[in-house]
Amino acid sequence: MILHELIEFDTLRVIWWLLLGVLLIGFALTDGFDLGVGALLPFVAKTDTERRVVINTVGPVWEGNQVWFILGGGAIFAAWPSLYAVSFSGFYLAMFVVLAALILRPVAFTYRSKREDTTWRTAWDWALFVGGAVPALIFGVAVGNVLQGVPFRLTDDLWAMYEGGFFGLLNPFALLAGAVSVAMLLQHGAAWLTLKTEGPVSQRARTYGSVAGIVAMAGYALAGVWLLFGIDGYTLVDDVVRNGPSNPLHSEVAKGVSWGASYTARPWIAIAPLLGFVGMAMAMRGLRAGREVSTLLWSKLGIFGVISSVGLTMFPFILPSTIDPRSSLTVWDSSSSHLTLFVMLVVTVIFVPLILLYTAWVYKVLWGKVTEDDVTSNSESLY
């Protein structure tokens, strides 16, 4: 038996669907609080010293947190090439905006404190705000569009043809999803700041985080109702050959059913949105009660539930097509080859635990609060 045949092709496809979700959730749980902190910076910190405190809570870890973003992009490229082709071409301008905003972060971290000038530092503080708020918004908008379907089609030789435009992505449901994303990550950033700061900064973070939690839960509830009763879902009409070659055009897809059918077929997936609501509600309660570690953990649970609910609701669809449902990408017909998925899995099993161990060690070393004395009297303070 060939080694990669030890795991069935359809099983590998599901494993990589799960791993893609793990990588995206990992990015949201780690770099998500970095984005939230950046977006909160001009509001929770009033003096230059307070802003330096806020920046130093994420300064040592933000680069490592972005590893999950890079791994997610790499996984899409290698495991789901059709998804990569459609999304990275159709969402090209949106991704350019995200990358431009993310590029602002390292530049702002590096140059913000190089001069004493107030105008100079304020400008870079707002650059950090843009670098946090804009990606959070666009990531949510992207998810909103994926749930509705994207205007693309596949030619007979499987060339992906995207027929939409940038401003078409900014539809009402997608903007609502973007608002939920921003509010959710603001709450996550506030939870991080309550853990890492003290005094007025921590208190303001609790206030803003509590408001963000209310907005996130209300927006998530509204988006859920809208999705189930106001947006057409997709379903596979015929039996799919789950071990077959990757060719979406071999499947028959129907549009017009409710995504709620997923919950009828698999009632257990309702645990995902439940975890989303519980996590956000308990994080908001923790913010108001002055708790620290548990608040951050509840916030992580809320994010896990929200993102998981998207993937579980859509399964087995990864990217539906609005103009040609037959071109919709699913877990069963848009992956790389059996051998490719197996080799990637072996590499992942080896290196992801190492990344997790290193990340845990870094956070252990950096455990503790960042104080004003740390940034004013410590010559080793970077920002």
Side-chain angles (χ1 to χ4, degrees), residues 8 14 27 30 58 60 65 71 83 97 102 110 127 142 190 195-196 200 214 224 226 280-281 315 318 339-340 361:
E8 295 290 336
V14 174
F27 170 68
T30 55
V58 297
N65 292 339
L71 289 176
L83 174 62
V97 173
L102 291 176
T110 301
L195 177 67
K196 296 292 291 184
I214 294 173
W226 193 343
M280 290 187 288
F315 184 86
I318 300 177
L339 177 60
T340 299
W361 176 78

Side-chain angles (χ1 to χ4, degrees), residues 76-148:
I76 293 174
F77 172 77
W80 308 100
S82 299
L83 174 62
Y84 182 89
V86 175
S87 59
F88 277 68
S89 58
F91 297 166
Y92 179 81
L93 288 179
M95 290 186 176
F96 177 82
V97 173
V98 168
L99 290 176
L102 291 176
I103 289 170
L104 281 176
R105 290 204 298 172
V107 179
F109 282 135
T110 301
Y111 290 102
R112 190 253 180 212
S113 296
K114 296 296 184 183
R115 295 177 57 184
E116 297 288 343
D117 183 67
T118 301
T119 303
W120 170 272
R121 294 190 171 187
T122 300
W124 287 118
D125 291 339
W126 283 104
L128 287 172
F129 166 80
V130 171
V134 170
L137 174 65
I138 293 183
F139 288 144
V141 168
V143 170
N145 279 282
V146 169
L147 283 164
Q148 297 175 92

Side-chain angles (χ1 to χ4, degrees), residues 33-44 125-126 128-134 136 182 185-186:
F33 67 70
D34 295 343
L35 299 178
V37 167
L40 286 170
L41 175 62
F43 310 104
V44 299
D125 291 339
W126 283 104
L128 287 172
F129 166 80
V130 171
V134 170
V182 172
L185 295 187
L186 285 176

Side-chain angles (χ1 to χ4, degrees), residues 84-331:
Y84 182 89
V86 175
S87 59
F88 277 68
S89 58
F91 297 166
Y92 179 81
L93 288 179
M95 290 186 176
F96 177 82
V97 173
V98 168
L99 290 176
L102 291 176
I103 289 170
L104 281 176
R105 290 204 298 172
V107 179
F109 282 135
T110 301
Y111 290 102
R112 190 253 180 212
S113 296
K114 296 296 184 183
R115 295 177 57 184
E116 297 288 343
D117 183 67
T118 301
T119 303
W120 170 272
R121 294 190 171 187
T122 300
W124 287 118
D125 291 339
W126 283 104
L128 287 172
F129 166 80
V130 171
V134 170
L137 174 65
I138 293 183
F139 288 144
V141 168
V143 170
N145 279 282
V146 169
L147 283 164
Q148 297 175 92
V150 177
F152 75 95
R153 60 182 176 84
L154 299 177
T155 64
D156 291 338
D157 53 0
L158 300 183
W159 281 93
M161 308 295 291
Y162 182 79
E163 299 184 6
F166 173 76
F167 291 103
L169 301 175
L170 304 178
N171 55 78
F173 179 79
L175 290 174
L176 174 61
V180 172
S181 174
V182 172
M184 185 172 64
L185 295 187
L186 285 176
Q187 184 185 49
H188 199 40
W192 175 255
L193 287 176
T194 61
L195 177 67
K196 296 292 291 184
T197 65
E198 56 189 14
V201 171
S202 179
Q203 189 57 49
R204 294 185 197 112
R206 295 183 191 281
T207 300
Y208 284 109
S210 298
V211 175
I214 294 173
V215 173
M217 286 189 292
Y220 184 50
L222 176 59
V225 174
W226 193 343
L227 180 69
L228 297 180
F229 300 103
I231 292 176
D232 289 338
Y234 295 76
T235 187
L236 290 169
V237 175
D238 54 358
D239 292 332
V240 180
V241 180
R242 301 184 179 189
N243 282 314
S246 291
N247 186 345
L249 299 180
H250 287 170
S251 303
E252 288 297 326
V253 176
K255 179 184 177 183
V257 298
S258 170
W259 282 121
S262 299
Y263 292 85
T264 301
R266 306 187 304 275
W268 61 269
I269 68 175
I271 192 173
L274 178 62
L275 290 177
F277 281 115
V278 170
M280 290 187 288
M282 292 300 293
M284 183 175 64
R285 181 181 179 185
L287 287 168
R288 291 178 172 178
R291 301 186 183 97
E292 298 177 353
V293 176
S294 62
T295 299
L296 184 63
L297 294 177
W298 282 118
S299 179
K300 290 180 182 292
L301 179 66
I303 292 173
F304 172 83
V306 169
I307 298 178
S308 297
S309 69
V310 175
L312 291 172
T313 298
M314 293 182 61
F315 184 86
F317 289 91
I318 300 177
L319 189 65
S321 170
T322 56
I323 60 176
D324 181 20
R326 194 167 64 104
S327 297
S328 299
L329 307 181
T330 75
V331 172

